[in-house]
Amino acid sequence: MIKGKTVILGITGSIAAYKAADIASKLTQAGIMVEVIMTEPATRFISPLTLSGIVGRPVVTSMWELSSEFSIEHVTLAEAANVVVIAPATASTIAHLAAGTADDMLTCTVLATKAPVIIAPAMNDNMYNNPITQENIAKLKARGFIFVEPVYGRLASGKIGQGRLAEIDNILGIIRSNLGQEGDLAGKRICVTAGGTKEPIDPVRFIGNRSSGKMGWALASAARNRGAEVLLVSAADYLPETAGIQVVKVTTAAEMAKAVSNAVKSADALIMAAAVADYRPKDYAVKKIKKDDTSLTLELLKTPDVLMEVKGNLLKVGFAAESENLIANARKKLMGKKLDIVVANNIADTDCGFGSDLNRVTIIDKNGRVEALPLMSKREVADKILDWVVELIFEGGI
Ligand code: CTP
């Protein structure tokens, strides 16, 4: 669980400094205590007032003007940190860190901390690619510093190059994955599936379904944030961020079956959130089918049932998408597919489900326990499901 943890957010003097406000805001909203340390040049790009307003705490800008709350040695701040992140990090700050100098509050804190340090550089592409900067980065990487590479795009100079601060979602994903390392799923390997499979008819068309992949992604990222090693087998088109998650992309049910059967060999749990096609076209037309006739008949063949085929000593969680007799039908799937947990959702609900960020589910386990949850975000549903997974994994000694 990452709530209640402490992140030190270091901000240095780059045009991208304004983006740090977004990082501070999202971390704060997630219940994380954010201590902001700004270098003097950073305060020229964004006001400390903005940051302190966002995190609801004073911001440290100097070694010499500590507020009463910060009348502590920098060492105390460094010790309180679960993660230190510097975003954006300039070439100059990276050079100072590589040289081990401690001439401002940020470099002092980094030198004094034992927490993981994540660095997200942002600078002109020539500065970034300069061998001096690259040598500094290599030196820090060798010491265990975690870098979130800058991306290609339009730079402050108007030029296109590699130097833009990485996507905020990516930086947040890496922070979350580091914060979760000692969570209740630490040391467990979890395979999650997401999205709807697509069964091709011809080069243009396919048989698909309305699954967006949001529930599967929520489960994968929540499991990562609780310390699990996560493998995500995804048929979803869009995944917001997958930092620290191993992703295998698939399209069809057959590809998903193959990827899952490989993954489960070493997994402690499989969570099948994907909507797998039950049938696929028998024949694939290599060329686009022309509309010659008034009707067209497709012959469909049954696809493998991925969950049913998975055997072994691992915990199996399935979903049951039902439009009637929710609990009875979900129980049938629990028994029929030899599941440990089934998560039932009523697809007739119009306020949640496919494509939505919300879900209303009932969780049922093999011991007969049932919990009907109210409408909540898919992230919250994911954590509820994982609470059950944790209980059963440790109860069964898996
Ligand atoms: N599932 C699977 N392989 C399939 C079909 C479904 O592994 N070929 C998994 C789904 O990922 C889900 C569970 O089985 O976790 C139940 O899926 P659902 O579509 O609700 O049920 P089906 O078994 O397909 O049965 P029906 O469509 O008749 O309700």
Side-chain angles (χ1 to χ4, degrees):
M1 287 294 178
I2 58 180
K3 250 186 205 163
K5 299 244 165 126
T6 299
V7 168
I8 292 181
L9 173 60
I11 309 174
T12 70
S14 150
I15 292 263
Y18 73 94
K19 295 182 183 171
D22 198 15
I23 299 176
S25 167
K26 292 199 167 122
L27 291 176
T28 306
Q29 282 173 43
I32 293 164
M33 162 91 86
V34 185
E35 304 279 14
V36 179
I37 304 178
M38 298 175 74
T39 60
E40 196 277 328
T43 64
R44 309 212 172 214
F45 288 95
I46 183 167
S47 163
L49 203 59
T50 307
L51 272 305
S52 72
I54 290 171
V55 301
R57 317 180 46 73
V59 164
V60 181
T61 54
S62 158
M63 293 257 269
W64 316 113
E65 291 170 29
L66 297 179
S67 72
S68 58
E69 195 171 347
F70 286 102
S71 297
I72 48 172
E73 290 175 67
H74 55 269
V75 177
T76 316
L77 209 49
E79 279 173 358
N82 296 105
V83 162
V84 178
V85 55
I86 307 178
T90 58
S92 168
T93 295
I94 292 170
H96 279 274
L97 293 175
T101 57
D103 45 13
D104 61 18
M105 191 61 169
L106 184 57
T107 46
C108 276
T109 307
V110 171
L111 212 51
T113 194
K114 291 213 161 70
V117 181
I118 299 165
I119 300 181
M123 65 194 76
N124 164 275
D125 59 340
N126 288 339
M127 287 170 82
Y128 180 68
N129 289 315
N130 189 303
I132 300 173
T133 306
Q134 288 302 317
E135 273 171 26
N136 289 334
I137 291 175
K139 187 173 170 191
L140 289 169
K141 277 187 181 167
R143 296 261 173 224
F145 286 67
I146 302 154
F147 275 79
V148 194
E149 303 278 302
V151 292
Y152 279 90
R154 195 177 176 281
L155 304 172
S157 61
K159 213 176 134 194
I160 306 288
Q162 187 185 10
R164 277 174 72 90
L165 185 71
E167 293 299 326
I168 300 301
D169 276 343
N170 241 349
I171 298 173
L172 288 168
I174 291 172
I175 297 171
R176 291 192 193 105
S177 103
N178 276 279
L179 284 176
Q181 266 168 18
E182 279 149 32
D184 53 5
L185 283 170
K188 299 292 174 197
R189 282 173 66 89
I190 303 211
C191 173
V192 180
T193 65
T197 58
K198 295 187 177 93
E199 308 301 323
I201 299 170
D202 70 10
V204 185
R205 294 131 177 150
F206 58 83
I207 296 177
N209 61 68
R210 293 176 55 209
S211 168
S212 61
K214 285 183 177 175
M215 192 62 240
W217 179 78
L219 279 157
S221 54
R224 171 203 61 194
N225 297 352
R226 292 166 75 148
E229 199 180 314
V230 180
L231 189 126
L232 177 61
V233 179
S234 172
D237 292 326
Y238 174 72
L239 299 172
E241 61 79 16
T242 52
I245 297 174
Q246 197 188 333
V247 182
V248 177
K249 291 231 174 198
V250 296
T251 306
T252 63
E255 285 169 16
M256 182 163 279
K258 199 168 161 214
V260 168
S261 86
N262 272 335
V264 294
K265 284 179 197 149
S266 58
D268 297 294
L270 165 67
I271 308 180
M272 276 296 296
V276 187
D278 291 326
Y279 293 92
R280 66 170 175 86
K282 179 169 175 271
D283 300 307
Y284 171 73
V286 182
K287 290 192 179 145
K288 186 183 168 204
I289 300 172
K290 302 298 284 179
K291 56 169 187 294
D292 294 332
D293 296 320
T294 49
S295 72
L296 173 74
T297 305
L298 284 178
E299 191 180 345
L300 304 179
L301 295 181
K302 211 165 185 176
T303 56
D305 191 301
V306 183
L307 257 183
M308 197 85 103
E309 288 186 358
V310 168
K311 310 255 160 21
N313 185 29
L314 83 165
L315 189 111
K316 290 204 298 180
V317 182
F319 276 69
E322 307 295 341
S323 46
E324 54 192 353
N325 301 329
L326 184 70
I327 306 296
N329 281 337
R331 276 212 173 98
K332 258 188 221 160
K333 283 179 188 162
L334 179 92
M335 313 278 275
K337 301 194 188 208
K338 295 197 170 56
L339 306 178
D340 296 276
I341 297 170
V342 69
V343 182
N345 55 351
N346 189 342
I347 54 166
D349 285 352
T350 50
D351 55 355
C352 61
F354 295 122
S356 160
D357 290 327
L358 304 174
N359 213 351
R360 182 186 291 108
V361 304
T362 299
I363 310 179
I364 306 170
D365 78 2
K366 59 178 180 189
N367 303 323
R369 217 177 117 200
V370 181
E371 188 181 0
L373 297 172
L375 186 66
M376 49 176 71
S377 73
K378 287 185 175 171
R379 277 312 294 258
E380 289 170 307
V381 171
D383 268 317
K384 287 279 182 195
I385 296 169
L386 292 176
D387 288 344
W388 285 51
V389 167
V390 168
E391 266 185 47
L392 287 188
I393 278 187
F394 289 102
E395 174 191 294
I398 291 173

